[in-house]
Amino acid sequence: MDAVKTMSRTRSSSSWSLSLLLWIAMAVVAPARAWDHFTPQDLEQALAGGEFALVAFVSNDEPKSASLEPEWLAAAAESTERLLSVDCVLAAETCARYDIASYPSVVLFYSGKPVSLYRGARQASALLNFAARRKQPAIPEAVDAGSITAFKVADEIVFIAFLDPQDHASATEFSEVAARYRDEFLFGTAKDVSVAEAEGVKAPAVVCYKPADGHSATFSSLDSTGKLDAWVQETSRPVLGDLTLWNRQRLLDRGWPMVYLFAPTESERQELRQTLYKFAKSYYDSLTSVMVDPLEFPDLMGQMGLGANVFPAGAVHQLSKDRIYRYPRDKPLDSRGIQQWGLDVYQGRIKPWTPPGVTTTYEDLGPTRVATGRVSLRSLPGMKIKISGHDEL
């Protein structure tokens, strides 16, 4: 199992090996903090001596582990959580005992036993949020008037159920969903009617708070079996989040076009996220836009027909027809450029990428009739747009 990682490199066509050599050179000359690995004996003592611990099993000579290091050290520096690390090259038997199959692997331990594998973004804040939410009880934490303000912003995605104390059926349904997603999201329950009234919510209901997006959504159909789970999956989707091992399949299952945005380091992904956030928000309902760490998904750029080691890069995968449109390398990856490119795709001026050895004519490219007026990226194939009362595409 792979883990999410980042890698220091320039935005150019330099090879992975050159990036690794540069990283090694920087590590040698820079007086920066470095891994402080535990020996096998010290690790066992540390795990036995406390309840929760987050352990990174790494291989120091491997680029993926090197890319995790700065985020891990940042998390350790700003938190009181117990963050431990082990070099599996020197402690192979220890790593084998815990079934570590790839590096780096981040595992949460409780009372000396592994309880959860971290499969999210390799960011300091995400790592700490994961540790904090897993320390919450399996039954969603009780939220009251004194704690709700802080609880709503305690994580990137927070769900609070506002329930009547006697509504056991709704409480059970919410608890079951919370148990399925507790690794990814924070869940709480408010059973004081005054708390619901202060939030403008009528019980029973579940509210999703997304502080980073400044957005909240409410679900009021707790008596509809199965609908809460589907709602949690959809409403938890950030405007422009990271593609992770946790969310990849459910994002594909939406069926809407996937917009993949690739950048090699966390700082570059953050810069690209800020540049394209408004664009992603504008088309939130009809596109699934994600940031991709190429080290986490090493085959994805090739699957999208993108050359390796040229960043930033982007592509749209039209899932309904299994067609791939590559964003031009010579164009700036910004909102204006994407919208113009999307219009070219819509009007059939750009053909999908054809994998080597595949022959096809793509006879159905472009709109069925020429549209007048302004057409935005909402018109990409696979999406609906009303033109003169007619559904195109």
Side-chain angles (χ1 to χ4, degrees):
M1 49 195 164
D2 290 327
V4 181
K5 335 85 186 167
T6 55
M7 183 177 181
S8 296
R9 55 182 299 165
T10 59
R11 194 175 295 170
S12 68
S13 59
S14 57
S15 66
W16 294 111
S17 57
L18 178 57
S19 296
L20 177 58
L21 290 173
L22 290 173
W23 177 87
I24 293 173
M26 291 173 63
V28 170
V29 301
R33 294 170 297 157
W35 291 111
D36 185 13
H37 294 309
F38 278 55
T39 65
Q41 296 78 14
D42 290 342
L43 176 67
E44 297 307 318
Q45 291 178 5
L47 294 177
E51 290 192 345
F52 284 95
L54 200 59
V55 182
F57 295 92
V58 305
S59 175
N60 277 5
D61 58 355
E62 192 263 338
K64 298 176 184 179
S65 295
S67 69
L68 171 64
E69 183 178 9
E71 295 295 323
W72 186 265
L73 296 175
E78 66 182 62
S79 171
T80 58
E81 300 288 352
R82 301 175 68 236
L83 274 65
L84 317 176
S85 64
V86 178
D87 182 357
C88 289
V89 174
L90 302 177
E93 291 185 4
T94 297
C95 298
R97 183 163 66 252
Y98 292 117
D99 296 323
I100 303 302
S102 63
Y103 313 114
S105 290
V106 177
V107 181
L108 182 73
F109 283 77
Y110 177 70
S111 295
K113 297 180 180 179
V115 295
S116 184
L117 173 68
Y118 180 73
R119 297 165 68 84
R122 288 303 188 267
Q123 302 163 354
S125 59
L127 288 162
L128 294 177
N129 284 341
F130 168 72
R133 74 176 72 103
R134 284 296 305 197
K135 292 173 72 173
Q136 301 294 332
I139 298 176
E141 180 177 345
V143 180
D144 57 25
S147 62
I148 189 170
T149 299
F151 194 85
K152 291 190 299 184
V153 296
D155 207 328
E156 293 183 0
I157 308 291
V158 179
F159 291 93
I160 301 178
F162 295 87
L163 305 173
D164 184 284
Q166 304 305 315
D167 188 354
H168 302 299
S170 294
T172 298
E173 181 181 3
F174 182 68
S175 295
E176 290 174 351
V177 171
R180 284 194 286 273
Y181 299 104
R182 63 183 301 214
D183 278 358
E184 297 182 71
F185 317 125
L186 182 62
F187 293 85
T189 303
K191 296 186 177 182
D192 186 334
V193 65
S194 64
V195 176
E197 290 176 350
E199 290 293 311
V201 178
K202 182 179 179 181
V206 179
V207 179
C208 173
Y209 298 94
K210 296 195 280 189
D213 293 337
H215 175 71
S216 65
T218 303
F219 180 82
S220 302
S221 303
L222 283 165
D223 57 343
S224 301
T225 304
K227 290 187 177 181
L228 177 60
D229 188 288
W231 179 80
V232 165
Q233 289 189 32
E234 176 61 20
T235 198
S236 63
R237 181 171 57 91
V239 169
L240 185 51
D242 293 281
L243 187 68
T244 70
L245 298 175
W246 272 328
N247 67 23
R248 185 184 189 186
Q249 189 56 54
R250 68 170 177 259
L251 294 179
L252 290 171
D253 289 344
R254 293 189 75 233
W256 291 99
M258 295 286 298
V259 179
Y260 295 108
L261 301 165
F262 299 86
T265 68
E266 176 55 31
S267 61
E268 288 174 288
R269 286 192 291 277
Q270 184 61 26
E271 179 182 349
L272 194 60
R273 184 180 290 110
Q274 293 173 354
T275 299
L276 297 176
Y277 181 86
K278 289 184 178 179
F279 157 79
K281 189 172 184 178
S282 296
Y283 302 104
Y284 177 81
D285 292 333
S286 53
L287 294 175
T288 305
S289 302
V290 291
M291 303 300 308
V292 185
D293 178 352
L295 282 177
E296 173 61 14
F297 297 96
D299 299 328
L300 188 54
M301 290 190 73
Q303 293 167 357
M304 295 296 106
L306 299 171
N309 312 317
V310 178
F311 300 104
V316 172
H317 187 186
Q318 182 191 358
L319 297 175
S320 62
K321 295 183 179 180
D322 196 23
R323 290 178 176 176
I324 294 167
Y325 296 86
R326 303 178 296 178
Y327 192 77
R329 291 184 177 182
D330 59 348
K331 291 183 177 294
L333 196 49
D334 55 27
S335 294
R336 182 177 181 180
I338 286 183
Q339 291 198 13
Q340 180 57 55
W341 175 73
L343 178 60
D344 291 340
V345 169
Y346 169 75
Q347 294 184 338
R349 291 195 291 268
I350 296 176
K351 292 184 178 181
W353 170 68
T354 302
V358 176
T359 302
T360 184
T361 59
Y362 296 121
E363 295 179 353
D364 58 342
L365 293 178
T368 56
R369 60 190 175 119
V370 177
T372 59
R374 183 177 180 273
V375 180
S376 71
L377 189 59
R378 194 180 298 275
S379 308
L380 266 173
M383 288 168 278
K384 295 285 187 180
I385 183 169
K386 286 280 189 178
I387 301 179
S388 301
H390 178 69
D391 279 335
E392 297 291 345
L393 299 180

